[in-house]
Structure formats: structure tokens, C-alpha cells
Amino acid sequence: VRIAPSPDALLGQRIAAGGTDLVLGCDMVVAASGPVLATVDPGRTRAVVNTRLEPTSANVIDPDLEVSADSMTGPLVAAVGAERADFVEATRLATALMGDSIATNLFMVGFALQKALLPLSLAAIERAIELNGVAVEANKATLEWGRLAAHDPPQVERAADAAVTPAAPARPAGLPELVE
């Protein structure tokens, strides 16, 4: 995504070497790829990356290809620096909190927004959600969970754990309830 104050400021189709301000990596494999890392400036670029590893078509072509957290986080940290990279279990958290992994991307946007890494206001993003008109309240809630994850990770972890912890089933009082 390229964001600028005016269309005239968006020159060219590709981001030039060293031209990335933020790697918002909803897919760790893509975020750690050569083409993305080539746009990073070690003193400027920040990274917010989802830790979920999804199999790619490259795994089918090369089954020996190493796709592990270390093989992905290492190049990202080397490119931007450990202090400029945040790794978030966004898929796990968003799925637990919102009931659907599709919430992951907006969760990541909320995280980056809270870290002041997006040149947009909360009001602008909320308005875009409203204009989109799809699952408006759920999307706003997802954005807020992402913001809270950037601010207070333990609180979000507790909420996610509580959301996926099944309650003990009530014991049936007798045979009719058991059959029901």
C-alpha cells in the first residue's frame, strides 16, 4: 500500500530500494521475501509482522524449502533491526477474539496504527470501514483489538485465551435431558 498526501507524490509503480517506511506483514513469508527486503532502509523502516506461517506454492515446488519462524524472522530483523520489528501472533489472536481468521489483516492495521506507524488517523480508518459497509461493528472491534494488542499484549492474550477456553458442559439432570 502506498500512501501520500496527493496522487502526484505517488511516482512509479514500485517502491524503490530503501523506500519503505513500514512493512505491514500480514503474511510472514511474503514479508521476509527478497523483493520486500530490497525496499527496506535499516534506519528508517519499521516492521509489524504476523507470525503465522502459511504454506506457499514454493513448498510444493521445493519440499526442502525451509519455512520456519527463524528462517523468516532472522532476515527481517537483520534488515530493519530488532528494535524496529514487532512480531505478533495476529492470526491466532484475531481468530480467537473475532471467530474468523479474516480479521487478521485489520487486527494488524490496528496494531500498526496504535504504534503510530500509519500516516492515518483512527477516525479516517473507522470512516473507511463505515464506507465499506461490510461487518462494520465487527471490523471496528477488530481494529480496536489490534490497537490494544500494541498497547497491552497480556490483556489481549488473556481475552483470547478466555475466548477459546470451552466452558464445562452442564451435566444432564436425568435421561430425558441426556437424550435431548
Side-chain angles (χ1 to χ4, degrees), residues 91-108:
T91 300
R92 180 182 65 81
L93 294 170
T95 302
L97 295 165
M98 300 307 298
D100 192 338
S101 65
I102 197 73
T104 301
N105 294 348
L106 201 49
F107 184 94
M108 293 289 291

Side-chain angles (χ1 to χ4, degrees), residues 140-166:
K140 285 183 176 182
T142 301
L143 184 71
E144 289 304 311
W145 278 117
R147 292 181 64 216
L148 186 58
H151 174 72
D152 189 352
Q155 183 177 351
V156 175
E157 288 287 343
R158 286 190 300 273
D161 289 346
V164 296
T165 303

Side-chain angles (χ1 to χ4, degrees), residues 50-177:
N50 181 12
T51 59
R52 174 73 177 253
L53 289 171
E54 296 289 344
T56 66
S57 60
N59 293 107
V60 174
I61 295 166
D62 181 3
D64 296 326
L65 179 68
E66 181 185 357
V67 179
S68 67
D70 288 343
S71 71
M72 300 293 120
T73 58
L76 282 161
V77 168
V80 302
E83 71 287 349
R84 300 180 69 76
D86 289 293
F87 295 95
V88 185
E89 290 186 278
T91 300
R92 180 182 65 81
L93 294 170
T95 302
L97 295 165
M98 300 307 298
D100 192 338
S101 65
I102 197 73
T104 301
N105 294 348
L106 201 49
F107 184 94
M108 293 289 291
V109 169
F111 191 99
L113 179 67
Q114 187 65 26
K115 293 276 187 173
L117 300 175
L118 293 175
L120 301 167
S121 68
L122 173 60
I125 295 173
E126 287 179 334
R127 182 67 181 133
I129 290 169
E130 292 165 359
L131 289 171
N132 186 45
V134 177
V136 172
E137 293 311 311
N139 283 327
K140 285 183 176 182
T142 301
L143 184 71
E144 289 304 311
W145 278 117
R147 292 181 64 216
L148 186 58
H151 174 72
D152 189 352
Q155 183 177 351
V156 175
E157 288 287 343
R158 286 190 300 273
D161 289 346
V164 296
T165 303
R171 293 182 55 93
L175 184 59
E177 290 83 9

